[in-house]
Amino acid sequence: MSDFKVSGDIARLLRAAHEVIAHAYAPYSGFPVGAAILTVSGEVFAGCNVENAAYPLGSCAEAAALGVMVSAGGAQRLRAALVLTAWPAPSWPCGGCRQRLQEFMEAEAMVYAVGREGEPVGMPFARLLPLAFGANDLAPRSS
Ligand code: THU
């Protein structure tokens, strides 16, 4: 990812995540999350978690960010995602959201996790979801 503008792009993602986490609807868990994603064409989209009194119907911030991207007609290949949580230590995306991200992440894409304190910690997406199931698995093939 030689053309990845590390500090500038992470700063943009962080700013977007900070803006959106303010809208998180997390009255049941008390765990607000903001997610921001960066497309290959340089667009940033963000979303927050939205909980529900019927607990399993709540949705994650990453799902919201992806929904915003698709709804906006934005580029659908991602270079990076950042997850901001309101507690001091960072948290990585849940298993379901790793699979949601997998749908759109470039092979070399990065995920950043950041809590209320400290700097974003980066991890190649492939390390978060090795041997991922994806569109290629659905393509007809001989073996
Ligand atoms: N949550 C996210 O938004 N993203 C994740 O990757 C993990 C969990 C939300 C869901 C729920 O609203 C709260 O965090 C506690 O699980």
Side-chain angles (χ1 to χ4, degrees), residues 29 31 33 49 51 60-62 93-94 97:
S29 70
F31 191 77
V33 183
N49 53 337
E51 297 185 349
C60 286
E62 296 91 327
C94 74
C97 285

Side-chain angles (χ1 to χ4, degrees), residues 14-25 33-36 46-49 61 84:
L14 196 51
R15 198 158 45 240
H18 270 290
E19 283 172 13
V20 81
I21 199 173
H23 303 301
Y25 181 74
V33 183
C48 60
N49 53 337
L84 169 68

Side-chain angles (χ1 to χ4, degrees), residues 49-98:
N49 53 337
V50 182
E51 297 185 349
N52 192 283
Y55 294 172
L57 295 182
S59 54
C60 286
E62 296 91 327
L66 292 170
V68 170
M69 174 187 74
V70 173
S71 301
Q76 297 196 1
R77 301 308 306 165
L78 295 178
R79 285 172 156 192
L82 179 142
V83 179
L84 169 68
T85 47
W87 290 359
S91 297
W92 296 100
C94 74
C97 285
R98 294 178 197 202

Side-chain angles (χ1 to χ4, degrees), residues 4-20 35-38 42-46 80-84 112 114 118-121:
F4 191 79
K5 299 187 292 296
V6 174
S7 54
D9 285 333
I10 295 175
R12 288 177 64 210
L13 288 169
L14 196 51
R15 198 158 45 240
H18 270 290
E19 283 172 13
V20 81
I37 53 181
L38 175 70
E43 295 168 292
V44 169
F45 298 98
L82 179 142
V83 179
L84 169 68
Y112 297 90
V114 59
E119 298 293 313
V121 183

Side-chain angles (χ1 to χ4, degrees), residues 121-143:
V121 183
M123 178 87 66
F125 177 71
R127 274 194 66 195
L128 288 180
L129 192 63
L131 303 176
F133 181 87
N136 288 343
D137 292 290
L138 299 178
R141 62 212 144 117
S142 50
S143 59

